Amino acid sequence: MSWLAGLALFTATVLLMEAFAYVLHRFVMHSKLGWAWHESHHRERDGWFEKNDLYAVVFAVPSILLIWGGMNGGWGDWATWSGAGVAFYGIIYFGFHDVIVHGRLPHRIVPRSHYFKRIVQAHKLHHAVESRDGAVSYGFLYAPPVERLKQALKGSAGARVRAAKGASTDRSSEPA
Ligand SMILES: [Zn+2]
Ligand SMILES: [Zn+2]
């Protein structure tokens, strides 16, 4: 496989992972079954880890397998490239979601670009809802316009909206 084809496969894998993460988050993690792990992420965390981290552990497995298979198992280059794409999505997801939005590691990054502000605000709106039902914005690297999400949240039945901090979304646009 040429470098160019490899890079195209890598990029396609990263994009597909976002689509996959959206579907998983919306239809599995917020389903009765998946909520058993994901609920911990919609609650205050005490300590370093939360049950929801198990999802990341589960999705590291196919990535490691693909890279290993591509490099040592004779599966071909496609496996290495797509495994690297899954791993790269994991890194972007961790950096954006866990570090920047949830502050699990200390950082001084202030979202400045329009796009960056939008995905951060959108995910904060996702967390404005503590209940399994009625949340908005399930994607991580893509989010609909924030105004549209706020409207959806207002009209959302079954959402138990967080009283104080999560619900006030306007503060998140100010530099920290
Ligand atoms: Zn969620
Ligand atoms: Zn989150």
Side-chain angles (χ1 to χ4, degrees):
M1 182 177 261
S2 72
W3 269 89
L4 213 62
L7 270 179
L9 179 60
F10 173 85
T11 311
T13 307
V14 174
L15 296 176
L16 264 174
M17 279 301 291
E18 169 67 4
F20 177 70
Y22 176 94
V23 170
L24 185 86
H25 187 194
R26 178 162 191 172
F27 299 107
V28 178
M29 292 172 156
H30 280 255
S31 75
K32 269 192 190 125
L33 187 76
W35 190 244
W37 285 2
H38 191 55
E39 183 179 17
S40 62
H41 186 59
H42 282 258
R43 298 258 176 273
E44 221 57 70
R45 182 181 52 243
D46 58 316
W48 271 88
F49 295 105
E50 55 196 32
K51 233 181 187 177
N52 186 58
D53 293 336
L54 290 170
Y55 282 113
V57 175
V58 168
F59 292 103
V61 174
S63 169
I64 293 166
L65 269 181
L66 281 166
I67 295 173
W68 183 88
M71 294 178 83
N72 304 303
W75 296 4
D77 289 351
W78 68 268
T80 315
W81 283 109
S82 54
V86 176
F88 189 66
Y89 182 82
I91 293 166
I92 312 175
Y93 169 82
F94 180 77
F96 161 69
H97 175 260
D98 289 279
V99 177
I100 294 171
V101 178
H102 293 297
R104 291 180 80 175
L105 293 175
H107 70 88
R108 293 186 169 187
I109 302 159
V110 179
R112 291 195 198 281
S113 75
H114 185 72
Y115 164 73
F116 206 3
K117 279 183 187 162
R118 170 162 151 174
I119 54 171
V120 169
Q121 282 196 352
H123 193 67
K124 287 189 171 171
L125 284 172
H126 177 72
H127 280 282
V129 175
E130 283 182 327
S131 52
R132 187 168 69 80
D133 291 320
V136 294
S137 188
Y138 292 89
F140 297 98
L141 304 182
Y142 167 77
V146 170
E147 277 314 310
R148 216 200 297 162
L149 292 174
K150 285 185 184 170
Q151 284 305 322
L153 206 51
K154 265 184 207 156
S156 165
R160 189 167 69 236
V161 175
R162 225 174 247 226
K165 55 181 183 182
S168 75
T169 51
D170 295 318
R171 287 192 349 233
S172 57
S173 58
E174 287 170 17

